[in-house]
Structure formats: C-alpha cells, structure tokens
Amino acid sequence: MQSSVTYNTVMLLGPTAVGKTAIGVKLADHFGWDIISADSRQVYKGLDIGSGKDLAEYTVGTKIIPYHLIDKVTLATEYNVFMFQKDFYELFDECQKKKQIAFVVGGTGMYLDSVVRGYPFIEVPENELLREELGKKSVEELSAQLVELKGGMENVHNKTDLLDRERTTRAIEIALYMQSPEAEQKVKEQSRDIVPFVIGTTLNRDMMHKNIRIRLDERAKEGLIEEVEGLHAQGWSWVRLEKLGLEYRFVSEYLEGKFSSKEEMLDKLYHAICQFAKRQETWFRGMEKKGVPIHWLPLDVDKEVRYRAAVNLIEKNVCS
C-alpha cells in the first residue's frame, strides 16, 4: 500500500557506532541526495578523529557525496540547536527550490527533534528591565521560575540552564518573550512545513558495545590523543575542549594528568560512550512517545541488509 503523505524530508537516525554514515552515504548515492549532518561535534573544524567524521566514507567509487554542516564552524563558536535549525531551514529551502528531498543523517537527538517537531526558535532581544528584576533572585528562585514557565521539568530541554545564573536568566527572558504576540508572529514567519519520513537504525546492545570498543581502539591508534594535544597547542583551553564531551573531555583530562594511565582513560571513556548510546536511544524513544513515527530497520549486523531495507521503505513511502 502506497503512502498518501507527500514527504519532503527523509531522516536517518540512530545511536553512535551502528553504521549510520555508511548506510546514509549509500542512500544518498542511490537517490541522488546530499547529506545534511545532524552531529553536534562534526560541525566543528579540527574535530576529526574524536568526532568520527570519517570523510573518506563520503566517496562512492570516484563520486564524492555532497555533505553539509560538517566543518562549518571553529571552536570559537559554540554551535547549538538554534543554529542547527536555522542552518537546516536554509538547506531545506534550497532543496525545495530544486524539488529535492532534504536528507538528514545523524544522532544528536535535540538537533533531529528540533526539525521534526519544529521547535519555535527565534531571535529574542535582551530585556534590561527584566534582567534587573531577575538579578534580585537567587539561582534556586530563577530555576523554579523557569520550570514553571516551561510547564514542568520535562519541558526544560537543556538542564544546564538550571545550573548557571546567566543561562537561567536568558532562558526566562526567552520563555517570557515567546508568550508575546510579537514572538508568535515571528514563529509563523520563520517556521517551515517539514514533512519528515524518519528511519531509525540500531544494533543489539552487545554488538553496539563491541563496535564502540573497536572504534575507540582504532581512533586511539589513528591519533586521537595527538589530535586533542594539537587543538590545545592551537590555543583552545582545556575547559573549552572538555565542554565538547566524551573523547575530547576524557583525553583532555588525561593530558591534564587526571588519569593514572592511558588504559584507565580509554576504559572509562568506553563505558561513557556506551552510556551515551543508551541516552541516545532513550531520546529516540521519547520522540516516538511524543508522536514521531520512526521506521526502524532490522537489527542486523550486516549494513547491506539494513541499507536494502531502507531503500524499500523510501521507495514505498517517499518516492512512490
């Protein structure tokens, strides 16, 4: 039975180390699409080994698959979900002009969700009078006000907003502004009619963990530690590198002497990546609970099997 929905976006999501890039590249090659990356670290120049860019995978034979939002900014910019959505919308508009499907591949749940569910992001001006009033409150009072404005803790997308006075103040400023008629009009003007067909791919837990270990060991041999050393030598602080999380945090801490050995650091990093993959899957399940249909590919170790299943899904539902 053919789909009656006209999709304009296809999304391939999944946790780390399950072969998303390899499958995504083959799909892009098959259907003649570009790839729009949804990865919060691959967007940075210089984060190559630790972020797993694997740009060689974007070549099929002699053909290079066009990709976007990889190597877009330097570490001087703190790229965020608002920037991602804005950049995606610009790419989506280009695809619409070409009458082409926007094809997104990645595992950063908030980036993906911002597109699928259309987070209402707009530029919010600073409100000096409000800031003066909020400056009289404690961090605890500010956090309570933000949670109330959001309608509950589950609606606070970035929990770190609750831990820092400046971030909490800004979050309240944004939340209050978003209730205004002016903001409502801006949201209407800046939103896009995204109709996504979402495909998910993962592996059973044991195989995923095995892949994570293999990939981590390969990255260590490829020069992961040297990459982080080089970034620090270029002038990026340990604090900035640690904020990138996982590989960059653990290796930075190792280079700062916070681990007794490289083996200890890699072992703890492995467990942290496994926990991260679990959080990714939890996020995707949360998307489903909020009404986002995800068409999961078979739990097959063979990427070719999963690729063929994805092709069948797309041909049946999107390109029919």
Side-chain angles (χ1 to χ4, degrees):
M1 181 178 177
Q2 293 185 341
S3 171
S4 60
V5 180
T6 301
Y7 296 100
N8 54 29
T9 302
V10 170
M11 183 174 290
L12 176 65
L13 58 76
T16 190
V18 299
K20 289 188 303 297
T21 299
I23 296 170
V25 166
K26 291 195 70 173
L27 289 172
D29 180 51
H30 181 85
F31 291 104
W33 298 336
D34 291 8
I35 289 178
I36 301 173
S37 170
D39 188 293
S40 62
R41 297 189 303 171
Q42 291 186 9
V43 72
Y44 290 108
K45 297 174 183 177
L47 306 193
D48 301 324
I49 298 172
S51 72
K53 281 178 188 165
D54 301 324
L55 294 182
E57 288 194 40
Y58 288 83
T59 300
V60 179
T62 58
K63 179 181 177 183
I64 298 176
I65 303 300
Y67 56 83
H68 307 272
L69 305 190
I70 293 177
D71 287 340
K72 182 174 176 61
V73 298
T74 70
L75 288 171
T77 299
E78 289 207 30
Y79 199 81
N80 57 37
V81 63
F82 172 76
M83 295 176 183
F84 171 80
Q85 188 193 64
K86 183 178 179 182
D87 288 336
F88 171 80
Y89 282 168
E90 290 178 1
L91 292 166
F92 175 80
D93 289 345
E94 290 178 18
C95 289
Q96 288 292 94
K97 290 176 184 176
K98 298 175 184 176
K99 299 188 183 305
Q100 191 179 75
I101 292 289
F103 182 42
V104 186
V105 179
T108 300
M110 192 177 292
Y111 285 12
L112 299 161
D113 206 20
S114 76
V115 169
V116 173
R117 298 199 298 124
Y119 289 6
F121 289 139
I122 56 174
E123 296 282 357
V124 176
E126 292 186 1
N127 185 331
E128 292 302 328
L129 288 176
L130 174 64
R131 290 186 169 215
E132 185 177 340
E133 178 186 331
L134 296 177
K136 301 171 185 175
K137 297 186 177 184
S138 67
V139 173
E140 291 75 17
E141 288 172 323
L142 292 173
S143 297
Q145 183 174 349
L146 178 59
V147 171
E148 183 179 358
L149 282 168
K150 290 286 189 176
M153 180 69 78
E154 67 277 6
N155 297 318
V156 179
H157 296 301
N158 196 342
K159 301 299 187 290
T160 55
D161 285 345
L162 301 173
L163 306 176
D164 178 86
R165 169 177 286 277
E166 185 176 340
R167 292 178 69 117
T168 309
T169 298
R170 179 58 176 165
I172 291 172
E173 188 175 52
I174 292 170
L176 287 171
Y177 181 78
M178 292 302 292
Q179 296 174 358
S180 70
E182 180 183 354
E184 185 178 349
Q185 182 59 33
K186 283 186 179 180
V187 169
K188 286 181 180 178
E189 293 171 356
Q190 296 184 26
S191 64
R192 300 294 190 280
D193 185 19
I194 309 295
V195 187
F197 184 78
V198 185
I199 299 171
T201 186
T202 190
L203 297 170
N204 68 61
R205 194 61 51 84
D206 289 343
M207 181 53 65
M208 186 196 302
H209 288 181
K210 181 180 178 181
N211 283 2
I212 289 171
R213 183 82 243 187
I214 291 171
R215 194 176 67 170
L216 178 56
D217 290 342
E218 287 175 347
R219 289 179 181 177
K221 291 176 183 176
E222 289 168 4
L224 171 61
I225 294 172
E226 291 78 7
E227 176 175 90
V228 179
E229 278 182 314
L231 289 167
H232 183 60
Q234 290 171 29
W236 304 113
S237 69
W238 292 128
V239 172
R240 179 69 183 101
L241 294 173
E242 287 172 18
K243 284 180 70 175
L244 296 166
L246 293 176
E247 290 88 350
Y248 295 97
R249 177 168 73 86
F250 278 77
V251 173
S252 292
E253 290 176 347
Y254 165 69
L255 292 171
E256 292 174 85
K258 297 179 181 179
F259 288 98
S260 60
S261 67
K262 182 174 77 172
E263 290 70 28
E264 181 199 8
M265 180 272 290
L266 290 174
D267 189 54
K268 290 189 176 179
L269 173 54
Y270 159 71
H271 289 291
I273 297 173
C274 290
Q275 291 168 356
F276 170 67
K278 185 177 179 180
R279 291 196 300 275
Q280 286 178 295
E281 292 193 314
T282 299
W283 185 285
F284 302 143
R285 287 196 298 272
M287 288 173 65
E288 289 183 294
K289 289 177 182 177
K290 292 170 184 173
V292 178
I294 299 179
H295 302 80
W296 289 98
L297 301 179
L299 281 172
D300 200 300
V301 176
D302 191 335
K303 289 191 283 267
E304 180 66 23
V305 172
R306 287 182 281 152
Y307 159 69
R308 292 308 315 172
V311 169
N312 291 337
L313 277 171
I314 293 167
E315 289 181 342
K316 179 180 177 181
N317 295 278
V318 181
C319 301
S320 58

